[in-house]
Amino acid sequence: PPLSKLLNNKTTMTLSLAIISVIMTLILYLVRPFVSEFFMRQAGLAITHNDAKKAYDHHVRAITLSPRLTSYHLSFATMNLNIARALSQKNDLNDDDRQNISNLLSQSIRSAKIATTLRPNDASTWHTLAVIYQNLMGVAKGAEDFTLTAYQRTITLDKANPQLRVQYADILTQLGRAQEDPVKQNTYYDQAQESLQTAIQLKNDYVGAHYNLSKLLESRGDLVGAYLAMQKVVRYLDSNSPNYGQSQAELETLKAKLPLPTPNSNL
């Protein structure tokens, strides 16, 4: 055949292959989100059936297909943490179990960090990372500082959320109790108290914030402040709550420790 015809045939074939390649790429691009979402649904089903291996594998497949979806990384981070927690409850941990727990926790941190990189201004990503680090406190070196830093970032991004302030205060209180140096202890307690008071400013009827503030003030020797805070617990707590009777009893216990006349909060 003439050279021109061969060239035309070759050009036509090259063009056809290019078109096919573009079409396949387009199909893959369009189908990929549906496939990855399918794997995430399968992961969810596996979790409900307590099949950790399938849940793990389906997460990996979904993330491989859609590596920039923050929700997938957060889900994977949480799942790894939960598997590590469950595994750590075994009574007879062997070396393989300990290594698996370490690997799961490392993967959990990595996935949460990827989420914060993908969406650095999303409070939920930093909160997930903070919770993961919180679970490592007392186990991994530096986890306390990482936890506080992640919570501070979360609060900065979600300033109006009182629940975050209470959670942050809980960690500060826990760290304060662990301190032997009274100066360091008071520093943690001061920060915790400030965080709880801010939570109350954001939501005045937040029972949990008033209760935690009462217990913190009592531990610091401020019985009047503890009593006033517990008064608000009783005031705002639903009388049908199973905790109502206990709160009233704690209020009476505090009252018995106070000098007369008994203070009262009308705020």
Side-chain angles (χ1 to χ4, degrees):
L3 180 59
S4 58
K5 187 174 182 180
L6 288 174
L7 290 176
N8 286 337
N9 289 340
K10 185 176 182 181
T11 302
T12 301
M13 183 177 295
T14 302
L15 183 60
S16 298
L17 290 173
I19 293 173
I20 293 172
S21 178
V22 170
I23 292 174
M24 293 299 294
T25 301
L26 184 60
I27 291 173
L28 181 61
Y29 179 79
L30 293 173
V31 170
R32 181 176 292 184
F34 296 100
V35 177
S36 59
E37 188 60 26
F38 167 79
F39 282 127
M40 283 302 293
R41 287 198 296 270
Q42 293 301 306
L45 289 173
I47 290 173
T48 60
H49 290 91
N50 295 318
D51 192 334
K53 186 179 186 308
K54 281 188 178 180
Y56 187 98
D57 291 342
H58 287 316
H59 268 91
V60 170
R61 293 187 183 102
I63 291 172
T64 301
L65 289 169
S66 299
R68 298 195 62 79
L69 273 181
T70 307
S71 60
Y72 289 4
H73 292 286
L74 292 178
S75 177
F76 194 42
T78 302
M79 188 206 68
N80 276 276
L81 176 62
N82 290 337
I83 295 175
R85 281 175 177 167
L87 189 56
S88 66
Q89 298 303 311
K90 288 180 61 176
N91 293 325
D92 52 345
L93 288 174
N94 55 40
D95 290 341
D96 288 340
D97 291 330
R98 295 185 181 89
Q99 185 60 52
N100 287 333
I101 291 172
S102 177
N103 292 339
L104 287 164
L105 291 174
S106 296
Q107 180 60 63
S108 183
I109 292 172
R110 281 196 300 272
S111 295
K113 283 184 174 181
I114 291 172
T116 62
T117 301
L118 291 171
R119 299 184 67 179
N121 296 320
D122 184 349
S124 65
T125 62
W126 288 97
H127 186 237
T128 299
L129 183 60
V131 170
I132 292 169
Y133 279 131
Q134 184 179 355
N135 279 270
L136 297 179
M137 286 172 51
V139 178
K141 184 178 180 181
E144 293 82 1
D145 292 335
F146 288 131
T147 302
L148 293 177
T149 299
Y151 260 110
Q152 289 162 1
R153 179 64 174 164
T154 306
I155 290 171
T156 299
L157 294 170
D158 193 2
K159 294 184 176 67
N161 188 334
Q163 186 176 6
L164 291 175
R165 309 275 180 167
V166 173
Q167 292 172 358
Y168 183 55
D170 285 345
I171 296 167
L172 291 166
T173 302
Q174 179 182 342
L175 293 174
R177 291 197 194 102
Q179 295 298 318
E180 296 182 359
D181 184 344
V183 175
K184 291 182 179 179
Q185 184 180 73
N186 282 326
T187 298
Y188 280 121
Y189 283 167
D190 286 343
Q191 293 174 349
Q193 185 172 331
E194 180 182 356
S195 188
L196 289 170
Q197 289 168 339
T198 302
I200 292 168
Q201 290 173 0
L202 292 169
K203 183 174 171 52
N204 189 49
D205 61 348
Y206 194 165
V207 172
H210 287 295
Y211 184 85
N212 288 3
L213 179 60
S214 177
K215 304 308 287 185
L216 176 60
L217 292 174
E218 182 180 5
S219 70
R220 304 191 79 179
D222 183 358
L223 296 179
V224 172
Y227 178 77
L228 294 176
M230 191 61 71
Q231 272 190 328
K232 292 184 178 180
V233 172
V234 174
R235 179 186 306 169
Y236 294 125
L237 191 61
D238 186 343
S239 59
N240 295 319
S241 168
N243 298 321
Y244 187 78
Q246 178 186 341
S247 299
Q248 281 189 314
E250 291 188 47
L251 180 65
E252 292 302 316
T253 300
L254 285 168
K255 182 179 180 179
K257 298 178 181 179
L258 296 176
L260 297 176
T262 303
N264 183 60
S265 173
N266 295 318
L267 297 179

